[in-house]
């Protein structure tokens, strides 16, 4: 069964069609890239799939279930996690606390339990801490557990954000421009990390990225959109040679 099926997806903002007739099926275990020029609609696709925006048309099925209309936390609870183009960590919390907070959508207590520190509260907090500590160890972040994210190098901040997404035990991980703002050394580390987490967590990954070395190094299949519409799909080698893709990125006319 496919992990994700997006059919005829459309998103309109006022008179602007940001995404138009977008279709994509992602099979279990795949690592798929979504690329296109700035403003092509890539992040809008992610935002619609994750429930931040509601589609103007089309369908979205995750593990066979219709998820259109679900709020973002409900989508996450079903096993679809994401990172953001601009890192969104809680800088007033430590790295470990960031990883704990990501699990609160599934903890077995409510306000009453937190107020009176019931057994359910204590057990849930303990379990969240165990998951966070395991993630810190797996991602090599244990030494930074009590640091605030804002004090870490950019590459480590991105690793924390990915760790936060992994803490919810996702089936599908969406990475929105994870290499943004990274230096060459950090990009190399990121490529290795993506390969590693895919194998370590047996994950299906959907990636938006402008850094072509990342895309070509990790993706098995790539979808290209421009002005909200798909213009190409294929292997990295096929995409590199596709004249429509070259035109979209370089602005060459058909006669060139």
């Amino acid at each position: 069964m496919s992990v994700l099926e997006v059919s005829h997806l459309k998103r309109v903002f006022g008179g602007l069609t940001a995404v138009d007739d977008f279709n994509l099926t992602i099979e279990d275990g795949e690592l798929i890239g979504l690329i296109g020029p700035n403003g092509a609609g890539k992040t809008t696709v992610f935002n619609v799939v994750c429930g931040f925006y509601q589609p103007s048309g089309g369908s979205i099925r995750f593990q066979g279930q219709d998820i259109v209309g679900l709020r973002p936390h409900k989508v996450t609870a079903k096993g679809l996690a994401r990172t953001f183009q601009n890192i969104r960590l809680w800088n007033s919390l430590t790295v470990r606390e960031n990883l704990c907070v990501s699990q609160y959508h599934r903890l077995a207590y409510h306000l009453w339990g937190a107020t009176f520190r019931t057994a359910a509260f204590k057990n849930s907090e303990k379990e969240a801490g165990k998951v966070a500590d395991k993630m810190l160890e797996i991602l090599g972040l244990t030494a930074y557990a009590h640091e605030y994210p804002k004090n870490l190098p950019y590459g480590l901040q991105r690793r924390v954000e990915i760790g936060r997404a992994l803490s919810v035990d996702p089936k599908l991980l969406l990475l929105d421009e994870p290499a943004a703002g990274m230096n060459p050394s950090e990009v190399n580390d990121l490529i290795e990390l993506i390969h590693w987490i895919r194998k370590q967590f047996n994950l299906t990954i959907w990636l938006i990225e402008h850094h072509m070395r990342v895309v070509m190094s990790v993706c098995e299949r790539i979808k290209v959109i421009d002005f909200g519409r798909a213009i190409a799909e294929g292997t990295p080698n096929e995409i590199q040679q596709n004249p429509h893709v070259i035109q979209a990125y370089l602005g060459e006319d058909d006669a060139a």
Side-chain angles (χ1 to χ4, degrees):
M1 183 173 64
S2 301
V3 174
L4 183 72
E5 297 176 57
V6 181
S7 301
H8 305 294
L9 190 67
K10 186 171 186 176
R11 173 64 195 189
V12 178
F13 296 96
L16 174 66
T17 300
V19 178
D20 190 16
D21 197 29
F22 180 86
N23 299 276
L24 182 67
T25 298
I26 301 179
E27 302 295 340
D28 186 29
E30 282 196 293
L31 204 166
I32 304 297
L34 179 62
I35 68 173
N38 287 327
K42 304 181 297 297
T43 296
T44 300
V45 171
F46 268 24
N47 284 337
V48 175
V49 169
C50 293
F52 290 93
Y53 299 148
Q54 293 305 305
S56 304
S59 65
I60 308 167
R61 299 187 68 82
F62 178 62
Q63 298 193 101
Q65 296 184 336
D66 182 6
I67 60 171
V68 170
L70 295 184
R71 300 292 298 275
H73 69 283
K74 293 291 186 181
V75 174
T76 300
K78 287 188 173 295
L80 197 160
R82 71 169 294 181
T83 65
F84 294 86
Q85 179 179 350
N86 298 314
I87 294 177
R88 298 184 182 183
L89 295 171
W90 291 286
N91 283 315
S92 60
L93 302 177
T94 66
V95 167
R96 185 178 187 273
E97 288 168 340
N98 267 272
L99 299 183
C100 288
V101 168
S102 67
Q103 303 167 62
Y104 281 1
H105 71 281
R106 61 184 179 188
L107 297 185
Y109 66 85
H110 300 288
L111 180 61
W112 189 88
T115 302
F116 294 98
R117 303 183 69 81
T118 62
F121 167 82
K122 292 178 181 178
N123 289 336
S124 294
E125 289 290 311
K126 184 177 180 180
E127 193 60 34
K130 286 182 179 179
V131 172
D133 289 339
K134 181 180 179 180
M135 195 59 58
L136 289 168
E137 181 179 358
I138 288 174
L139 294 177
L141 293 168
T142 302
Y144 309 100
H146 302 295
E147 291 283 349
Y148 293 101
K150 62 185 178 183
N151 297 329
L152 299 180
Y154 196 85
L156 285 179
Q157 290 185 41
R158 184 64 78 182
R159 188 175 287 251
V160 173
E161 188 188 33
I162 292 173
R164 187 176 62 183
L166 293 173
S167 294
V168 305
D169 193 24
K171 179 65 175 177
L172 174 62
L173 176 64
L174 276 58
L175 301 175
D176 191 352
E177 296 198 33
M182 288 188 175
N183 61 44
S185 176
E186 291 171 333
V187 168
N188 290 336
D189 290 342
L190 175 68
I191 291 171
E192 292 182 8
L193 177 63
I194 292 172
H195 282 301
W196 184 82
I197 62 175
R198 180 195 189 189
K199 182 178 179 180
Q200 178 76 16
F201 293 90
N202 192 28
L203 269 176
T204 306
I205 299 176
W206 189 11
L207 168 78
I208 290 175
E209 187 52 72
H210 276 294
H211 201 298
M212 286 300 103
R213 185 157 64 87
V214 175
V215 175
M216 298 303 168
S217 296
V218 303
C219 296
E220 301 156 335
R221 180 161 59 98
I222 300 169
K223 184 98 169 182
V224 188
I225 62 174
D226 191 24
F227 295 106
R229 295 186 65 90
I231 61 171
E233 183 174 348
T235 65
N237 187 56
E238 290 169 341
I239 292 303
Q240 283 180 312
Q241 300 178 47
N242 188 296
H244 298 294
V245 176
I246 295 170
Q247 180 184 347
Y249 272 96
L250 301 181
E252 298 175 352
D253 59 36
D254 294 334

